[in-house]
Amino acid sequence: MDHPESAIPRHVLPVLVFAQFAGTSLWFAVNAVMPDLQRELGWPTVALGTLTSSLQFGFIVGTLVFALLAIADRFPARLVFLVCALAGAACTVAAWATVRDYRALLAWRFVTGIFLAGIYPVGMKIAAQWYTRGLGAALGLLVGALVVGSASAHALRALGGALPWPTLMLGVAALAAFGGVLLYVALGDSPHAHPRVTTLQWRALGTLWTDSRVRASVFGYFGHMWELYTMWVLVPLILATRLQGTALSWVAFCVLAAGVLGCAGGGWIAVRRGSARVASAQLAVSGLCCLGAPWLMQAPDALFYAWLLVWGVTVSGDSPQFSTLTARNAPPQAVGSVLTLTNSIGFGISIVSILLFVGLAGHIPLGRLVPWLAIGPALGLLCMGPLVRLERDGRR
């Protein structure tokens, strides 16, 4: 039986949101200072992409290892979050100390990505333990904060020298450490948390393919990941057709940060209409935004910017609902491992998509290239069909 949301202490959700934001700042805020490092240390442009990819690959490796070893389900989730936040903060301090050694920096960013595997998906597991009825709304706020954080890289670039990179790197390390400690101290164990397992959960991980409900939400998420991060990479290129400099950075921030409206608003609607329908509706709209690119890139300014804002809202807004559905339908004793493995595969798909589209962007006009991003939403919608039908029939 679901526990009433009123029984959950009011501080739980704000602590979760802040701790997740603080922990994942190791990802987005440090990436924002890479252009400053390039200018100061004379790195080639390709070095920035390699550093970012290093962290992405670290995250993929970390989530895969965490899932296969069932780290988030065999050990207290709060402890895993704390250890990984402190370790990620230490890696960032080490990166600051060895910043002039490019190979060392590359290694530290890779290891930081590994520890982020114990922050992002583990935070979602903790939320799933506390919120059994309103999980869609809770994850909507949680992922919404991360969307704003990821978009803040563009705002930090627009601020330029207002925040020197050494100050930002050390500040982010301190913020991540504080977030881990706060979550560990301020949150006790959920009163309806599932008992921890003592064995590996490989059979449970197989539900990604063998359980029809888990498979539907997971493959819907994979379609979403084909589009999401590539869209984020392409937005500055699209805006560069009309803007440049600081103005471009601020508008890019607004477009990507608009995703918080889709996450929070979608979470609110999901409580009333169901997560599958909300995720599918937003996935459909973002897919239509991809298909409309050839015409909307040539449209008057008002329509052009409105298109990007709608795309920014919906491309992120479905993410928390996919996680909600997966957490709800996965084996209770293996929710953390299933979410972590899903993240691992999803981010692997995003890297393939980014490399493919960025590579083609130099040879194909964006107006002709962007519509191919709709392949992800289309396949995701196809996979989500069974869950949408179950919700319409009143069986979630």
Side-chain angles (χ1 to χ4, degrees):
M1 178 178 178
D2 289 336
H3 292 248
E5 296 299 306
S6 58
I8 300 175
R10 292 184 178 180
H11 72 278
V12 169
L13 188 56
V15 168
L16 269 172
V17 170
F18 175 80
Q20 278 275 52
F21 179 89
T24 52
S25 68
L26 296 168
W27 192 322
F28 54 75
V30 174
N31 277 356
V33 306
M34 294 305 169
D36 297 326
L37 293 173
Q38 178 197 14
R39 287 191 295 271
E40 184 170 327
L41 302 177
W43 293 340
T45 302
V46 68
L48 304 184
T50 304
L51 279 169
T52 300
S53 298
S54 177
L55 186 138
Q56 294 272 83
F57 280 117
F59 181 77
I60 292 171
V61 170
T63 48
L64 183 60
V65 171
F66 273 51
L68 294 178
L69 298 181
I71 299 295
D73 297 309
R74 293 168 62 198
F75 303 96
R78 289 187 305 131
L79 180 60
V80 173
F81 192 101
L82 172 64
V83 170
C84 288
L86 293 177
C91 288
T92 301
V93 173
W96 164 80
T98 60
V99 73
R100 297 184 182 279
D101 183 341
Y102 180 75
R103 291 185 178 180
L105 182 59
L106 203 63
W108 285 120
R109 292 303 284 162
F110 177 82
V111 177
T112 302
I114 291 176
F115 287 119
L116 278 166
I119 296 175
Y120 178 40
V122 173
M124 288 195 292
K125 177 195 171 165
I126 295 172
Q129 290 178 333
W130 280 98
Y131 294 90
T132 54
R133 289 182 55 198
L135 182 58
L139 289 186
L141 293 175
L142 195 116
V143 176
L146 303 185
V147 168
V148 173
S150 299
S152 68
H154 292 284
L156 290 171
R157 291 190 186 106
L159 290 171
L163 290 171
W165 64 261
T167 301
L168 187 59
M169 289 184 74
L170 294 177
V172 164
L175 181 66
F178 176 72
V181 172
L182 177 67
L183 184 142
Y184 186 80
V185 172
L187 297 188
D189 291 326
S190 167
H192 41 282
H194 196 276
R196 294 195 302 275
V197 299
T198 58
T199 59
L200 301 181
Q201 296 296 297
W202 293 354
R203 183 183 297 273
L205 292 178
T207 58
L208 269 69
W209 293 271
T210 60
D211 186 291
S212 61
R213 296 191 184 193
V214 176
R215 184 173 63 243
S217 61
V218 165
F219 278 74
Y221 171 78
F222 292 162
H224 152 82
M225 289 296 284
W226 171 264
E227 178 194 16
L228 175 64
Y229 282 94
T230 303
M231 180 271 193
W232 284 8
V233 170
L234 293 180
V235 160
L237 301 180
I238 294 172
L239 289 173
T241 62
R242 305 195 185 201
L243 298 171
Q244 58 183 344
T246 301
L248 189 156
S249 294
W250 279 121
V251 175
F253 167 74
C254 291
V255 169
L256 302 191
V260 71
L261 300 177
C263 292
W268 182 80
I269 297 172
V271 174
R272 295 152 181 81
R273 302 290 296 170
S275 292
R277 281 182 282 186
V278 170
S280 295
Q282 298 207 57
L283 194 62
V285 173
S286 67
L288 290 174
C289 287
C290 298
L291 294 175
W295 302 277
L296 293 166
M297 284 193 65
Q298 309 301 323
D301 282 353
L303 187 56
F304 174 79
Y305 293 117
W307 162 57
L308 287 178
L309 284 173
V310 170
W311 198 8
V313 169
T314 55
V315 75
S316 304
D318 48 4
S319 184
Q321 303 315 315
F322 286 124
S323 298
T324 296
L325 291 165
T326 301
R328 183 184 296 156
N329 294 316
Q333 80 280 5
V335 167
S337 298
V338 171
L339 286 173
T340 304
L341 181 59
T342 301
N343 280 161
S344 180
I345 299 173
F347 275 83
I349 291 171
S350 73
I351 286 183
V352 172
S353 178
I354 289 170
L355 292 175
L356 176 63
F357 279 83
V358 170
L360 292 174
H363 307 283
I364 301 175
L366 287 172
R368 290 169 50 195
L369 180 62
V370 169
W372 291 98
L373 275 178
I375 291 174
L379 293 177
L381 284 170
L382 184 64
C383 294
M384 285 289 289
L387 285 180
V388 172
R389 289 191 289 272
L390 285 174
E391 280 191 350
R392 286 176 177 165
D393 294 341
R395 294 176 291 145
R396 295 189 183 181

